[in-house]
Amino acid sequence: MNNQKSKDLAAHSVNPSAAAAPDLAGAIRALSMDAVQAANSGHPGMPMGMADIAVALWTRHLRHNPANPRWSNRDRFVLSNGHGSMLLYSLLHLTGYDLSIDELKRFRQLHSKTPGHPEYGMAPGVETTTGPLGQGIANAVGMAIAERALVAQFNRPGFDIVDHHTYAFMGDGCMMEGISHEVCSLAGTLGLSKLIVLYDDNGISIDSEKGSIRNWYTDDVPKRFAAYGWKVIPDVDGHDVAAVTRAIAKARKSTDRPTLICCKTIIGKGAPTKANTGAVHGAALGDKEIAATRAAIGWPHPPFVIPAEVYDGWSAKRKGARRENEWQKLFAGYKAQFPELAQEFQRRISGSLPETYAKQCEGLLDKLRASSESIASRKASQNAIEALAPILPELIGGSADLAGSNLTMWSGSKPIKGDGNGNYIFYGVREFGMTAIMNGLALHGGFLPYGGTFLTFSDYARNAIRMAALMRIPSIYVYTHDSIGLGEDGPTHQSVEHAASLRLMPNLDVWRPADAFETAVAWMASIERRDGPNALLLSRQNLQEQKHSAGAGPDGADAIRRGGYVLSDAPSARAVLIGTGSELQLAMAAQAALAGEGIAVRVVSMPSTSVFDRQSAAYRDEVLLGDHGKARVPRIAIEAGVTDLWRKYVGLGGAVVGLDRYGESAPAGELFKYFGFTVENIVRVVKGLI
């Protein structure tokens, strides 16, 4: 027998030990196609195509403990191509997380733990709501930054209590979304060596008859990422578990840059007629194709039946428990040698505030009560950061190339660079990327991120804000230049509809403070909130400081925390003026002018409609109606923005002094006068109603 014939026979022979090995990838393919078929909805192609990659990562490399999904030193796994959610659900179920087979059977059904896309908080082990493509990889970048920063802050020689990787799966859709450019560029600049991304290069998308992407996506991905400064491992056979395992091992050796592993795959691997077509991307295979697929991949088991040996091959319970136990022993030694650091680490990871926080807050408020200085609320925001950040090392700030305008830096700000030793990120002109990275920082734990840009650019960031609100995670968005008050930059930069638009978003608390005191309280409320994000809308122009009482006073900090309160009352008031942000000072001036004419009015400050709306109906009536009960006392809202939202507060008999058009380019004072934001106009409106 010649040598070539021997090689051919060897290539087609069956290794007895290999034949006996459980079909781990087959389990993912079967569960994915069966769950999608049961729901008659979903995306089976990606899970079937990436099954072998998942085997390599989850059984050979991923450090996690299914019994404790919140273990702080676990590797993070992000499914950026989240439409293939059955891949993740299959992995969580098979490796031993508390996700039953019944939940897989209920894929995409009401109140199941297995919705169409992975949702944070629904199933244990789901690290983030990736949602729209591209945001998952951005979250992963944030997680990798968090890991590196915690390493710099807490690790000590011999005690690497923070030492884990962030892995992400992403596909062509993520590559095409612009946010992937924003965040992967920054990841390369920061040299995030603990970030490893596995790219599902299957060349298929939904559009076109055959699903080929060649007509609209011809990027040279390896060169693109090499240009970002990434380590690139190209041309890996995504269906060769050993090859993918070796590539991940190689990536884990990187110490100076993130790694992209380009895995060539066949979408819908195993489906005889639909594999490698767009038809398998986002629709159930159908009973006939599923039966043929079972035969093709050698999976004879009925739907949702997994043999015991397959479960054994996948289970991470024993290995995960051992790894966490080893870490606990390491942390016990760390705690003995560095007790204060250990206590601080535990506080940071738990998300609790330091014991000195309340005293620091009260000191800041006392100082502001004694001040009559008129400053812009963006400057008041910086002052609040300056006062609170020294006792809150979890605050990690940043700005989208506008630090000098947003005033997000304070005297202790230290930019994060290659070694991760810092607390401030220069995001560059990447508003969307910044916001999604902040989500990753918040999700990782140990940090409370805040980031700044102009309010009008919140449009660029909006979908990442929405994801934070959907996940109810704490992030703080510092949005300055909040109205036509930025003047000469013109209507493209003047926020008219943005405050109202953000207020429509469920779970997002929007604050538009009227002076330094309200700004400080808004910061405190945002820091203390742990069940959702916050947006601070801040002025460029100076704002008059109002008088605020101490403690639980009717116009003190406790009242501000309720979102709306009576700032200045008057006996037998004939109207109620509702002001917010920079327009509150107009309401106060109008109150004084009307009083001079014998017309008493109440002034209500409404720094946060989001928070005010959560108060009891009795409290809301007390603020907006007072001793008039249900009498038709006219209410007038004043805000330099669109008017619709305010109609629910003023009613049909009230009025809104607002702006239902775009602005103009001119000095701020001229614009406010031109658009009717004057004391004289407000007095005229009040008189017209009473």
Side-chain angles (χ1 to χ4, degrees):
M1 183 182 295
N2 62 40
N3 288 338
Q4 184 58 49
K5 189 173 182 180
S6 297
K7 291 178 181 178
D8 291 342
L9 287 174
H12 291 88
S13 64
V14 177
N15 185 318
S17 61
D23 186 1
L24 303 186
I28 292 177
R29 292 187 173 104
L31 286 173
S32 298
M33 66 182 182
D34 289 340
V36 172
Q37 185 67 22
N40 194 28
S41 175
H43 299 76
M46 186 278 270
M48 296 174 73
M50 294 196 77
D52 303 294
I53 300 171
V55 172
L57 175 60
W58 280 66
T59 68
R60 312 285 176 86
H61 290 287
L62 195 71
R63 290 167 48 89
H64 62 119
N65 183 5
N68 183 12
R70 306 308 300 169
W71 173 32
S72 65
N73 201 43
R74 69 192 181 278
D75 287 340
R76 270 57 171 184
F77 174 74
V78 176
L79 191 72
S80 190
N81 40 356
H83 55 273
S85 56
M86 268 310 302
L87 174 65
L88 180 54
Y89 299 145
S90 299
L91 289 166
L92 295 173
H93 170 72
L94 292 167
T95 55
Y97 286 79
D98 185 18
L99 188 66
S100 69
I101 195 71
D102 288 335
E103 290 293 345
L104 271 63
K105 292 177 181 178
R106 297 180 61 232
F107 178 55
R108 289 186 167 227
Q109 304 308 300
L110 185 64
H111 298 151
S112 75
K113 295 180 180 180
T114 51
H117 286 70
E119 302 283 354
Y120 178 71
M122 297 291 286
V126 174
E127 299 282 4
T128 179
T129 300
T130 47
L133 293 174
Q135 289 200 56
I137 181 60
N139 298 163
V141 171
M143 293 174 185
I145 294 173
E147 192 271 348
R148 172 165 289 186
L150 287 174
V151 164
Q153 293 174 19
F154 288 101
N155 283 6
R156 294 296 181 268
F159 293 97
D160 291 341
I161 62 165
V162 181
D163 182 16
H164 54 264
H165 283 78
T166 299
Y167 296 96
F169 284 2
M170 64 185 294
D172 290 311
C174 296
M175 289 290 183
M176 284 185 259
E177 289 287 358
I179 189 174
S180 70
H181 164 73
E182 294 184 28
V183 301
C184 292
S185 168
L186 184 60
T189 298
L190 294 177
L192 300 176
S193 58
K194 292 290 191 69
L195 175 62
I196 299 175
V197 177
L198 294 108
Y199 166 41
D200 180 30
D201 180 13
N202 59 41
I204 296 294
S205 187
I206 297 174
D207 277 349
S208 88
E209 183 179 349
K210 294 184 178 180
S212 173
I213 63 172
R214 293 176 182 173
N215 292 325
W216 55 86
Y217 188 66
T218 57
D219 292 16
D220 189 326
V221 171
K223 288 183 179 178
R224 169 185 164 186
F225 276 74
Y228 292 152
W230 286 53
K231 177 177 183 177
V232 178
I233 303 177
D235 303 322
V236 176
D237 182 350
H239 301 301
D240 184 337
V241 173
V244 177
T245 300
R246 289 192 298 270
I248 297 172
K250 185 177 180 181
R252 286 171 58 89
K253 294 178 181 178
S254 175
T255 59
D256 61 346
R257 48 188 168 158
T259 301
L260 178 73
I261 303 173
C262 300
C263 301
K264 191 63 184 175
T265 63
I266 298 173
I267 191 171
K269 170 76 170 174
T273 67
K274 294 186 177 182
N276 204 34
T277 71
V280 77
H281 171 86
L285 297 181
D287 291 334
K288 183 178 179 180
E289 184 78 0
I290 285 179
T293 303
R294 275 185 152 76
I297 67 175
W299 187 266
H301 315 290
F304 300 107
V305 172
I306 306 295
E309 62 270 19
V310 174
Y311 276 123
D312 290 341
W314 271 111
S315 179
K317 290 181 178 179
R318 186 176 302 172
K319 185 186 296 183
R322 184 180 71 249
R323 283 175 167 169
E324 184 176 356
N325 185 56
E326 291 170 352
W327 181 86
Q328 292 289 358
K329 291 179 180 178
L330 177 70
F331 189 77
Y334 178 83
K335 189 174 183 179
Q337 192 162 338
F338 308 101
E340 293 182 359
L341 273 177
Q343 184 178 10
E344 177 67 3
F345 178 79
Q346 291 175 314
R347 181 191 73 78
R348 293 269 296 273
I349 294 300
S350 71
S352 60
L353 292 169
E355 294 179 359
T356 56
Y357 171 77
K359 183 178 180 180
Q360 191 81 357
C361 288
E362 194 54 45
L364 172 60
L365 294 179
D366 285 343
K367 181 180 178 181
L368 290 172
R369 286 189 190 97
S371 173
S372 59
E373 182 184 11
S374 295
I375 59 174
S377 53
R378 63 170 174 166
K379 179 60 179 176
S381 169
Q382 185 182 46
N383 292 345
I385 299 171
E386 187 73 43
L388 299 176
I391 65 164
L392 294 170
E394 57 264 47
L395 279 178
I396 184 166
S399 179
D401 205 46
L402 287 168
S405 294
N406 300 147
L407 303 185
T408 44
M409 297 190 78
W410 60 289
S411 62
S413 290
K414 183 178 180 181
I416 288 179
K417 296 181 181 178
D419 62 359
N421 188 15
N423 59 5
Y424 194 88
I425 302 169
F426 287 111
Y427 287 101
V429 187
R430 300 179 176 100
E431 294 88 358
F432 190 7
M434 172 183 74
T435 310
I437 287 172
M438 287 170 59
N439 290 347
L441 285 161
L443 288 161
H444 180 279
F447 289 102
L448 175 59
Y450 69 93
T453 188
F454 288 179
L455 177 56
T456 191
F457 302 150
S458 65
D459 281 343
Y460 282 173
R462 186 175 181 84
N463 205 270
I465 303 170
R466 184 175 185 268
M467 290 299 102
L470 196 156
M471 290 187 276
R472 289 184 169 273
I473 57 175
S475 290
I476 302 174
Y477 311 120
V478 180
Y479 294 138
T480 65
H481 298 62
D482 68 340
S483 72
I484 59 173
L486 60 90
E488 292 88 345
D489 276 339
T492 60
H493 283 50
Q494 293 168 6
S495 302
V496 173
E497 76 279 22
H498 296 81
S501 177
L502 289 172
R503 288 169 181 147
L504 291 174
M505 197 176 290
N507 304 333
L508 174 66
D509 280 358
V510 179
W511 292 87
R512 189 165 182 251
D515 61 10
F517 194 88
E518 284 193 358
T519 302
V521 174
W523 257 106
M524 293 169 193
S526 300
I527 288 169
E528 294 158 21
R529 188 182 185 211
R530 285 294 181 267
D531 63 350
N534 306 269
L536 308 181
L537 315 188
L538 308 170
S539 74
R540 178 195 189 192
Q541 71 274 27
N542 289 346
L543 306 180
Q544 181 181 342
E545 191 70 15
Q546 307 297 328
K547 294 294 184 181
H548 298 278
S549 59
D555 57 353
D558 292 349
I560 295 170
R561 286 174 178 274
R562 303 186 76 168
Y565 63 101
V566 179
L567 174 64
S568 180
D569 209 353
S572 303
R574 298 174 63 188
V576 176
L577 294 176
I578 306 169
T580 185
S582 55
E583 287 71 70
L584 181 65
Q585 58 192 6
L586 282 176
M588 291 295 290
Q591 181 193 47
L594 288 163
E597 299 185 33
I599 301 173
V601 299
R602 162 182 286 186
V603 175
V604 169
S605 178
M606 189 83 75
S608 177
T609 61
S610 318
V611 176
F612 184 73
D613 287 348
R614 292 201 296 270
Q615 306 305 311
S616 68
Y619 177 78
R620 297 196 306 270
D621 285 349
E622 179 185 341
V623 170
L624 296 177
L625 301 175
D627 57 5
H628 299 286
K630 301 298 181 182
R632 284 184 172 272
V633 176
R635 297 184 293 279
I636 301 94
I638 311 163
E639 184 171 55
V642 294
T643 61
D644 278 1
L645 175 135
W646 292 104
R647 303 292 177 187
K648 70 177 181 179
Y649 301 107
V650 303
L652 296 177
V656 181
V657 178
L659 187 64
D660 288 315
R661 54 154 289 184
Y662 294 109
E664 299 277 354
S665 181
E670 293 183 24
L671 291 177
F672 280 114
K673 183 178 181 180
Y674 177 76
F675 288 115
F677 294 98
T678 63
V679 172
E680 294 76 15
N681 186 47
I682 295 169
V683 168
R684 181 187 62 78
V685 172
V686 171
K687 287 182 176 180
L689 288 177
I690 65 174

